[in-house]
C-alpha cells in the first residue's frame, strides 16, 4: 500500500505539521489530467487501485458491507465493469496488488486472527455511539500477506509470521514480492532501546523486505529506526521506490534503491509528509502525495527519478489527493481523493499528459 499505507480521507490529520512552503513548481492539474471522473460510486469509501499489466483488471479496496467496517479487496473487470470480492470478508484487509500476467491477487489480511470478528463488532459499536477519534493507521500484528485467485478461492498465506506484514507488490515479472514488515520486533531479541522504541511506536520497526513470489528467501533491505514502507518496483524491475519517515514521525521523504538494498537514494527534500510514490511506466519520473501546502491538504506531485529537479505540482484542490497509480500504458492516472460531498475517499481517474510531465521536469 501503494500504501501503500494510509487509505482514508483523514490521512495523517493527527500530525500537526507546520505550514512549510518550499521550492516546488506549480503547473496546475489542468496541464496534466483531463477528463477527470469518479470511478467508485456505490462504495462507502474506496481507494488504492492497481492495474494488471494488460489493463484488463483493476484491484482496489473498499468498505461496502454494513457487517464489516473495514476494507475488503475487490477485483474489477475493466471491459464489463463486473466487480468481484476476492478477500474472505472477515477481519481487516489492505494493500492489494494484481499479478502482472496470472489470475492472482495479492493482499494483506487479518482474517486468520482469532479476534478478528470481535474487532469488527467493536468498531461497529464505536461508530454507532458517535464516538470521534483521530485517524491512525493500524499496525495489527495479525496482518499477513495472502495470494488468491480471481474468484477469491485458493487463498494462500505467504508470510505466516507474527507482526505487521503488508504493503506488498509483485515485481513486473511476477517473480519477487517487496513488502513492509515489523516482524523482527516479534521474532528477534531487541535491545532495550529498540524495545522502548517499539512500545512507543510500532511503526518505527517497519522495514522494507523482499522475497520470492512463493514466500521464500526473505531478505531485509532497509535497516533504520524509522518507518520504511510502501515499496513498488520500477518498470524494469531493477529498483524499488518507497517512503521513509523521519525519527519524529512527522514527515517523510521519497527514496529509491536497487532491489538488493544497495544505492539507497533520497529524491525529495520537502521536509513535510511525502509518501505513496509510484513510477511512471516510462521510468523517467515518480508521482507521489505530499502535504507541503498544509498538513490536511495532500496534493499530487511528480519528481524525476534522480531527484535533481524541483518537484512539480499536479493537483490543486483542498483536502486529500493521494495513492496515485498510472495505468500500465502510462496514459491514465487513477488516485484516491475526498473531493466528494461526503468527504470520504473515493477513486478518481483521468487522462494523463506524459509529454507535459516531461516538459515540466525538463526531461527528454
Amino acid at each position: 500500500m501503494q500504501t501503500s499505507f494510509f487509505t482514508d480521507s483523514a490521512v495523517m490529520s493527527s500530525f500537526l505539521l507546520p505550514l512549510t512552503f518550499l521550492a516546488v513548481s506549480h503547473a496546475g492539474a489542468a496541464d496534466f489530467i483531463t477528463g477527470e471522473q469518479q470511478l467508485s460510486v456505490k462504495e462507502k469509501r474506496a481507494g488504492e487501485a492497481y492495474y494488471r499489466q494488460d489493463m484488463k483488471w483493476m484491484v482496489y479496496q473498499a468498505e461496502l458491507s454494513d457487517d464489516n467496517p473495514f476494507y475488503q479487496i475487490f477485483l474489477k473487470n475493466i471491459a464489463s465493469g463486473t466487480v468481484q470480492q476476492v478477500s474472505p470478508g472477515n477481519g481487516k484487509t489492505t494493500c492489494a496488488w494484481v499479478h502482472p500476467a496470472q489470475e492472482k491477487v495479492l493482499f494483506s489480511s487479518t482474517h486468520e486472527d482469532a479476534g478478528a470478528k470481535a474487532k469488527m463488532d467493536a468498531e461497529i459499536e464505536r461508530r454507532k455511539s458517535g464516538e470521534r477519534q483521530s485517524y491512525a493507521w493500524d499496525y495489527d500484528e495479525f496482518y499477513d500477506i495472502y495470494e488468491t485467485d480471481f474468484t477469491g478461492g485458493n487463498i494462500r498465506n505467504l508470510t505466516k509470521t507474527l507482526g505487521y506484514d503488508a504493503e506488498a507488490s509483485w515485481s513486473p515479472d511476477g517473480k519477487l514480492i517487496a513488502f513492509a514488515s515489523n516482524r523482527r520486533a516479534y521474532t528477534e531479541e531487541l535491545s532495550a532501546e529498540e524495545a522502548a522504541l517499539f512500545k512507543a511506536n510500532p511503526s518505527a520497526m517497519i522495514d522494507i523486505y523482499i522475497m520470492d513470489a512463493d514466500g521464500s528467501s526473505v531478505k531485509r533491505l532497509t535497516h533504520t529506526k524509522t518507518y520504511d514502507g510502501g515499496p513498488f518496483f520500477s518498470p524494469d524491475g531493477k529498483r524499488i521506490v518507497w517512503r521513509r519517515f523521519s525519527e519524529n514521525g512527522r514527515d517523510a521523504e521519497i527514496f529509491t534503491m536497487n532491489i538488493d538494498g544497495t544505492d539507497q537514494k533520497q529524491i525529495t527534500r520537502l521536509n513535510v509528509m511525502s509518501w505513496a510514490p509510484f513510477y511512471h511506466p516510462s521510468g523517467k519520473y515518480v508521482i507521489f502525495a505530499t502535504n507541503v501546502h498544509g498538513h490536511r491538504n495532500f496534493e499530487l506531485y511528480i519528481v524525476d527519478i534522480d531527484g535533481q529537479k524541483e518537484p512539480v505540482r499536479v493537483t490543486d484542490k483542498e483536502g486529500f489527493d493521494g495513492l496515485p497509480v498510472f495505468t500500465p500504458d502510462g496514459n491514465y492516472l487513477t488516485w484516491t481523493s475526498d473531493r466528494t460531498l461526503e468527504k470520504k475517499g473515493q477513486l478518481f481517474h483521468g487522462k494523463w499528459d506524459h509529454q507535459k510531465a516531461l516538459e515540466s521536469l525538463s526531461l527528454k
Side-chain angles (χ1 to χ4, degrees):
M1 150 218 69
Q2 190 83 264
T3 60
S4 107
F5 61 100
F6 297 105
T7 49
D8 191 271
S9 59
V11 58
M12 293 306 297
S13 63
S14 59
F15 287 102
L16 300 179
L17 301 177
L19 264 68
T20 308
F21 295 89
L22 301 165
V24 293
S25 297
H26 183 193
D31 291 320
F32 297 103
I33 305 170
T34 55
E36 177 187 309
Q37 59 180 305
Q38 185 175 332
L39 289 185
S40 56
V41 179
K42 297 180 180 179
E43 296 85 350
K44 295 179 180 179
R45 55 181 181 143
E48 204 167 354
Y50 303 101
Y51 295 88
R52 194 166 80 166
Q53 190 60 38
D54 60 10
M55 292 175 54
K56 293 182 178 180
W57 301 91
M58 179 183 79
V59 69
Y60 66 101
Q61 58 191 29
E63 182 185 338
L64 198 61
S65 170
D66 291 333
D67 297 329
N68 190 334
F70 303 118
Y71 284 115
Q72 290 298 304
I73 307 302
F74 296 87
L75 185 70
K76 182 176 183 177
N77 182 301
I78 301 298
S80 68
T82 302
V83 174
Q84 167 74 35
Q85 182 174 325
V86 294
S87 57
N90 184 43
K92 312 165 193 173
T93 66
T94 190
C95 305
W97 192 257
V98 61
H99 194 279
Q102 301 175 28
E103 293 192 350
K104 294 197 297 186
V105 170
L106 196 69
F107 64 96
S108 291
S109 176
T110 66
H111 68 271
E112 290 190 299
D113 173 15
K117 182 63 165 60
K119 292 175 183 178
M120 289 164 53
D121 292 341
E123 175 63 14
I124 290 172
E125 291 304 311
R126 185 192 69 78
R127 294 187 184 185
K128 286 181 179 178
S129 72
E131 176 190 345
R132 297 177 63 88
Q133 63 180 22
S134 297
Y135 179 78
W137 186 240
D138 184 2
Y139 307 104
D140 195 313
E141 66 267 30
F142 292 102
Y143 267 120
D144 272 316
I145 297 169
Y146 296 82
E147 68 171 32
T148 184
D149 60 32
F150 277 13
T151 69
N154 300 310
I155 294 179
R156 182 182 173 209
N157 188 334
L158 298 178
T159 48
K160 299 179 182 176
T161 302
L162 189 63
Y164 173 82
D165 293 310
E167 305 170 27
S169 61
W170 273 297
S171 58
D173 61 8
K175 294 181 179 180
L176 298 171
I177 294 173
F179 66 103
S181 178
N182 62 3
R183 57 177 54 199
R184 70 188 187 92
Y186 298 88
T187 60
E188 299 178 10
E189 184 175 346
L190 303 181
S191 66
E193 179 186 3
E194 289 175 325
L197 182 64
F198 179 69
K199 183 177 181 180
N201 180 16
S203 72
M205 301 293 286
I206 296 178
D207 283 292
I208 303 295
Y209 289 76
I210 196 167
M211 64 183 177
D212 290 344
D214 63 0
S216 65
S217 303
V218 178
K219 179 184 178 182
R220 181 180 166 196
L221 300 183
T222 60
H223 298 76
T224 67
K225 294 178 182 178
T226 64
Y227 185 176
D228 288 297
F232 292 105
F233 289 91
S234 61
D236 62 8
K238 295 180 179 180
R239 292 186 70 83
I240 287 171
V241 66
W242 86 100
R243 49 100 186 102
R244 171 173 288 168
F245 273 68
S246 62
E247 289 191 12
N248 63 19
R250 293 179 181 174
D251 48 65
E253 303 288 358
I254 308 303
F255 286 72
T256 71
M257 64 179 163
N258 291 326
I259 61 172
D260 63 359
T262 61
D263 190 30
Q264 296 188 12
K265 182 186 302 183
Q266 183 176 340
I267 64 172
T268 64
R269 290 170 176 82
L270 298 179
N271 300 311
V272 290
M273 183 63 65
S274 299
W275 62 284
F278 197 87
Y279 279 100
H280 185 268
S282 67
K284 295 193 173 189
Y285 55 88
V286 168
I287 193 167
F288 64 99
T290 181
N291 65 352
V292 69
H293 301 283
H295 76 277
R296 292 181 184 273
N297 182 27
F298 278 84
E299 303 287 359
L300 299 182
Y301 272 74
I302 52 175
V303 67
D304 64 286
I305 58 172
D306 294 315
Q308 295 180 349
K309 315 289 185 180
E310 292 181 0
V312 175
R313 189 174 184 173
V314 170
T315 57
D316 189 6
K317 288 196 176 182
E318 286 295 321
F320 175 75
D321 289 287
L323 300 162
V325 56
F326 293 107
T327 53
D329 62 6
N331 292 331
Y332 293 87
L333 179 73
T334 301
W335 73 102
T336 305
S337 178
D338 66 359
R339 56 180 72 185
T340 60
L341 292 176
E342 300 81 9
K343 296 300 179 184
K344 293 288 187 180
Q346 296 290 349
L347 292 172
F348 284 77
H349 183 77
K351 185 166 178 56
W352 178 255
D353 192 330
H354 172 56
Q355 189 58 41
K356 186 72 73 172
L358 292 176
E359 292 172 0
S360 73
L361 290 168
S362 300
L363 300 173
K364 294 181 179 179

